[in-house]
Amino acid sequence: MCGIAGILMAPRAADPGRLTAADAMAQTMLHRGPDSGGVWADPQAGIALAHRRLAIVDLSASGHQPMVSDSGRMVMTFNGEIYNFRDLRAELEAAGQRFRGNSDSEVMLAAFAKQGVASALDRFAGMFAFGLWDRADRRLHLVRDRLGKKPLHVALIDGALVFASELKAFHAVPGFRPSIDPRAIAMVMRQGWVPDSLCVWREVVKLPPGAMLSIRAEELDGIDIAGLAGRVRRWWSLADIAGPGQSAPLAADPCRLEDELHDLLR
């Protein structure tokens, strides 16, 4: 696992000094990424991305994050693994794309540049949470994998959107004053866990599984945490997949279907 964090400031809250908190947030997650860490910032845009790395796929420095695309347009801090990245890489290479390393992160950035964020996401098989900054569109995309294997928390702190893999990272941001949400505590007492619709702190929302939050700095002016949660959209839904399967089940030999299911699960 890796640890990701970042800050996007609304124009009215723009203060380049506040961006240094992104590195402090990442330092609270050393256990998630003991191999290396990095920070990328654009003070004029009011954005900073930070990363703690656990090297798995590409052990070299070419897998260092936050990672910038070869065009310089996209910057990403990523936690997870894309299982089919070699197949995607082969397709991109056939279309003329060249790579400097062997990481799945670099393949993701190339896919975003070539196909767009939404189309590329549909092709990814894996577990992931990431923050992607589009320097041309000046838009931040926060994305979580289909079933929510990798965590991603989002907060508003004094006019800035702040995100991190773990809740404790928010304590590294000056001005963060959390308050307990009694509804979340009630759910813990009732069923032993907190649903995706709630967080133990009122000031934080959990990005749901299969969801994306895309936002620009100027859109943060005047927004509250409820308004921010209202901007989240689903890019994948299990119900959308299961519905057609239930209404139109496969008509094939049951033994063949069992073998195919076994192969897929394996």
Side-chain angles (χ1 to χ4, degrees), residues 12-263:
R12 65 175 177 81
D15 176 3
R18 297 183 66 193
L19 296 179
T20 59
D23 186 34
M25 294 173 71
Q27 294 305 315
T28 70
M29 299 183 287
L30 284 172
H31 59 287
R32 296 185 70 93
D35 295 328
S36 66
V39 180
W40 179 93
D42 182 345
Q44 286 189 326
I47 179 79
L49 303 177
H51 191 265
R52 288 304 314 180
R53 184 185 183 203
L54 178 64
I56 298 293
V57 176
D58 185 346
L59 305 185
S60 72
S62 61
H64 179 79
Q65 292 191 51
M67 185 177 289
V68 182
S69 65
D70 59 355
S71 68
R73 173 174 176 171
M74 302 284 193
V75 189
M76 182 176 68
T77 181
F78 162 66
N79 171 34
E81 184 177 352
I82 304 301
Y83 306 133
N84 62 334
F85 83 95
R86 291 182 178 86
D87 293 336
L88 298 175
R89 175 177 174 139
E91 293 179 14
L92 291 164
E93 286 178 325
Q97 178 70 38
R98 295 294 173 260
F99 294 91
R100 58 183 180 271
N102 298 294
S103 70
D104 48 358
S105 306
E106 189 179 2
V107 172
M108 293 172 70
L109 285 168
F112 292 142
K114 185 81 171 177
Q115 304 161 7
V117 177
S119 296
L121 278 175
D122 287 338
R123 300 291 311 281
F124 295 161
M127 52 180 181
F128 49 85
F130 62 83
L132 177 72
W133 175 246
D134 186 330
R135 302 176 73 182
D137 193 33
R138 298 173 78 88
R139 189 180 302 274
L140 176 66
H141 302 283
L142 300 178
V143 183
R144 197 173 176 204
D145 61 69
R146 292 172 178 82
L147 296 182
K149 173 75 179 219
K150 294 300 182 181
L152 191 55
H153 305 85
V154 186
L156 288 173
I157 304 175
D158 293 339
L161 180 152
V162 184
F163 69 90
S165 298
E166 296 188 4
L167 287 173
K168 68 178 181 180
F170 295 124
H171 285 297
V173 183
F176 182 57
R177 294 174 289 274
S179 59
I180 296 292
D181 189 336
R183 298 174 301 168
I185 301 301
M187 294 302 288
V188 171
M189 300 298 291
R190 181 184 304 164
Q191 60 190 31
W193 55 281
V194 180
D196 282 321
S197 59
L198 295 174
C199 179
V200 69
W201 291 332
R202 297 177 189 268
E203 296 77 12
V204 180
V205 295
K206 294 179 290 188
L207 195 66
M212 173 192 295
L213 172 62
S214 299
I215 196 163
R216 304 179 71 179
E218 56 267 27
E219 294 170 336
L220 293 172
D221 276 326
I223 198 171
D224 60 12
I225 195 67
L228 190 67
R231 297 182 63 93
V232 173
R233 68 176 183 86
R234 295 276 185 171
W235 66 270
W236 186 88
S237 167
L238 180 59
D240 291 343
I241 300 299
Q246 290 179 321
S247 61
L250 291 174
D253 177 60
C255 292
R256 186 183 69 79
L257 293 176
E258 288 178 7
D259 290 341
E260 184 177 350
L261 176 61
H262 180 267
D263 291 341

